């Protein structure tokens, strides 16, 4: 670090020592480090955004009429809100088979499992076990990427729709969905699907990018030299939050 | 579930993995999700079923936040800082769903 030497009057190169003053980051409110505390507050603000989406969904859904007949007699119609297990009943590779919510169940399992591998990476970080951190981060990246791919398939299927389609109010048959019309129900149903699952998918994508960066930094030994793996913990908080949001999206979009 | 973290937090030599609490939480989450699917297919849609789903979702959220995100083991101040704004959001959700039902009804009866 030759350039440091030239800048300092003492002539010795020093690392940026941890600051310990009360107003210098040395004070830890709630006994949590600055980074973790800020991650918690960021997640809280992110929760506001997702809550706004889900609240909007709840309001709009209750504004629309419900299908009053037996669930087995349900057909798509723009006059009432669709029953989710009649919309999301396809599975990749099993064309034409009615498997209500099976694929979304698999996606939920994948995401919960990625949360488990993430917490295992954090645990390995506490033990300063570099190899274990790498292993579990790779698993988490794999599951996260699988989830995004599954969502891409789900979107593609939703956009292309069924062969039968639905006869719209003007007499034409419409297949699939876009932001202006869809075969499943009211226009806003597809709009909310795209916005809510899309916003969540974007979060998963950011998470995977952050995890890949974490993996590279771990492999380079950055965290080991630093003496702690707190960065993994902070990214882990974000990753669990994304899983948490999915738990709510799953309930309000697919189950209720 | 609450046993492990205290010792795993201590830095030092490479210790043995302490993961029993992680897997326990995982099986709780999988179990709750399975129960949700039982209700989807075996129970008629309605307010009661929706309430069951919401209660189960809050259970799942509790396990993710308390164990995986470690909030249960943080200080009381931090716990409340996160929980209070969150509970206000749930109030907003309930209030606007009620409002939505009213708007739908009002629009339907607009001309009668």
């Amino acid at each position: 670090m030759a350039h440091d030497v030239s800048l300092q009057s003492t002539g010795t190169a020093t690392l940026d020592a941890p600051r310990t003053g009360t107003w210098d980051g040395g004070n830890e409110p709630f006994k949590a480090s600055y980074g973790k505390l800020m991650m918690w507050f960021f997640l809280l603000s992110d929760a506001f955004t997702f809550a706004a989406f889900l609240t909007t969904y709840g309001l709009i859904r209750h504004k629309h009429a419900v299908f009053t007949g037996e669930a087995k007699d349900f057909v798509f119609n723009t006059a009432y809100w669709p029953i989710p297990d009649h919309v999301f009943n396809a599975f990749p590779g099993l064309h034409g088979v009615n498997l209500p919510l099976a694929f979304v169940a698999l996606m939920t399992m994948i995401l919960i499992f990625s949360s488990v591998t993430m917490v295992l990476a954090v645990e390995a970080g506490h033990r300063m076990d570099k190899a274990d951190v790498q292993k579990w981060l790779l698993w988490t990246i794999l599951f996260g990427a699988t989830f995004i791919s599954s969502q891409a398939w789900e979107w593609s299927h939703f956009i292309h729709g069924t062969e039968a389609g639905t006869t719209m109010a003007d007499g034409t048959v419409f297949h699939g969905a876009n932001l202006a019309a869809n075969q499943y129900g009211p226009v806003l149903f597809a709009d909310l699907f795209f916005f809510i699952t899309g916003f969540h998918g974007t979060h998963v994508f950011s998470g995977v990018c952050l995890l890949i960066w974490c993996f590279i930094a771990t492999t380079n030994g950055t965290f080991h030299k630093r003496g702690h793996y707190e960065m993994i913990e902070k990214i882990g908080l974000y990753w669990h939050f994304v899983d948490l949001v999915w738990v709510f999206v799953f309930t309000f979009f697919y189950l209720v | 579930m609450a046993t492990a973290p205290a010792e795993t937090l201590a830095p030092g030599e490479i210790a043995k993995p302490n993961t029993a609490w992680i897997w326990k939480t995982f099986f709780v989450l999988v179990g709750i999700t399975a129960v949700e699917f039982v209700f989807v297919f075996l129970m008629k849609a309605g307010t009661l079923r929706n309430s069951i789903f919401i209660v189960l979702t809050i259970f799942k959220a509790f396990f993710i936040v308390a164990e995986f995100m470690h909030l249960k083991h943080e200080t009381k101040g931090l716990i409340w800082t996160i929980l209070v704004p969150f509970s206000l959001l749930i109030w907003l959700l309930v209030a606007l769903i009620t409002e939505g039902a009213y708007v739908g009804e009002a629009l339907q009866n607009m001309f009668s």
Side-chain angles (χ1 to χ4, degrees):
Chain A
M1 292 188 188
H3 60 285
D4 279 342
V5 177
S6 63
L7 289 173
Q8 283 175 340
S9 54
T10 53
T12 50
T14 50
L15 282 171
D16 192 9
R19 296 174 186 187
T20 49
T22 307
W23 296 98
D24 230 8
N27 200 18
E28 290 195 347
F30 299 144
K31 296 196 184 85
S33 72
Y34 175 81
K36 262 205 268 187
L37 207 53
M38 289 306 124
M39 182 51 94
W40 269 110
F41 291 145
F42 163 69
L43 294 181
L44 192 62
S45 73
D46 218 15
F48 290 170
T49 315
F50 276 108
F53 269 128
L54 289 174
T55 306
T56 309
Y57 179 81
L59 187 145
I60 289 172
R61 182 176 177 161
H62 279 78
K63 178 181 159 285
H64 283 83
V66 288
F67 177 70
T68 45
E70 284 287 312
K72 63 176 165 49
D73 302 325
F74 175 83
V75 283
F76 294 140
N77 193 310
T78 49
Y80 43 75
W81 205 258
I83 297 177
D85 35 318
H86 288 257
V87 180
F88 307 103
N89 63 353
F91 201 92
L94 296 171
H95 188 76
V97 187
N98 179 35
L99 293 164
L101 301 181
F103 192 51
V104 75
L106 179 67
M107 285 165 68
T108 306
M109 281 301 130
I110 290 169
L111 206 58
I112 290 180
F113 211 75
S114 80
S115 239
V116 172
T117 55
M118 184 75 235
V119 84
L120 286 167
V122 173
E123 197 267 349
H126 283 149
R127 296 184 285 111
M128 299 294 285
D129 188 340
K130 186 175 155 185
D132 257 20
V133 172
Q134 285 176 302
K135 177 177 79 180
W136 292 120
L137 277 182
L138 270 187
W139 277 112
T140 314
I141 293 166
L142 179 76
F143 286 125
T146 313
F147 181 85
I148 302 175
S149 318
S150 307
Q151 210 170 36
W153 186 89
E154 175 111 323
W155 269 51
S156 166
H157 185 268
F158 189 82
I159 290 168
H160 292 108
T162 59
E163 271 113 48
T166 299
T167 312
M168 308 299 276
D170 62 358
T172 58
V173 175
F174 192 83
H175 304 272
N178 57 39
L179 286 175
N182 72 83
Q183 68 166 90
Y184 310 105
V187 177
L188 286 171
F189 171 72
D191 293 0
L192 286 162
F193 174 81
F194 289 131
F195 274 93
I196 295 175
T197 64
F199 201 61
H200 177 263
T202 311
H203 274 75
V204 180
F205 178 71
S206 318
V208 169
C209 292
L210 289 168
L211 286 172
I212 290 171
W213 173 77
C214 264
F215 179 77
I216 294 169
T218 306
T219 308
N220 288 339
T222 309
F223 303 137
H224 218 88
K225 270 179 245 157
R226 198 178 284 172
H228 58 78
Y229 283 77
E230 199 189 274
M231 188 55 76
I232 309 279
E233 254 177 88
K234 285 181 273 193
I235 308 294
L237 279 177
Y238 175 80
W239 190 259
H240 296 312
F241 174 76
V242 172
D243 181 29
L244 179 71
V245 168
W246 181 256
V247 164
F248 280 90
V249 170
F250 174 65
T251 300
F252 288 109
F253 220 98
Y254 295 93
L255 292 182
V256 168
Chain B
M1 268 163 267
T3 52
E7 39 183 308
T8 50
L9 271 176
E13 301 297 299
I14 294 183
K16 278 208 170 119
N18 192 344
T19 55
W21 64 280
I22 299 172
W23 292 107
K24 219 164 148 186
T25 312
F26 168 68
F27 286 116
V28 169
L29 291 173
V30 172
I32 296 175
T33 310
V35 170
E36 284 179 330
F37 273 93
V38 170
F39 278 112
V40 166
F41 296 116
L42 295 185
M43 197 175 166
K44 235 172 112 64
T47 314
L48 179 64
R49 197 180 79 166
N50 289 351
S51 318
I52 292 172
F53 284 148
I54 289 166
V55 169
L56 290 176
T57 303
I58 291 171
F59 272 147
K60 275 208 277 191
F62 169 79
F63 280 105
I64 292 174
V65 176
E67 297 295 343
F68 285 175
M69 296 174 90
H70 219 252
L71 189 62
K72 203 166 126 188
H73 312 285
E74 305 287 354
T75 58
K76 277 224 169 66
L78 182 53
I79 295 175
W80 285 115
T81 308
I82 302 301
L83 283 191
V84 170
F86 218 90
S87 52
L88 289 173
L89 290 179
I90 291 175
W91 168 56
L92 178 74
L93 187 70
V94 173
L96 284 187
I97 283 178
T98 316
E99 192 73 4
Y102 169 74
V103 170
E105 209 179 299
L107 284 177
Q108 248 170 8
N109 302 326
M110 221 156 108
F111 304 108
S112 56

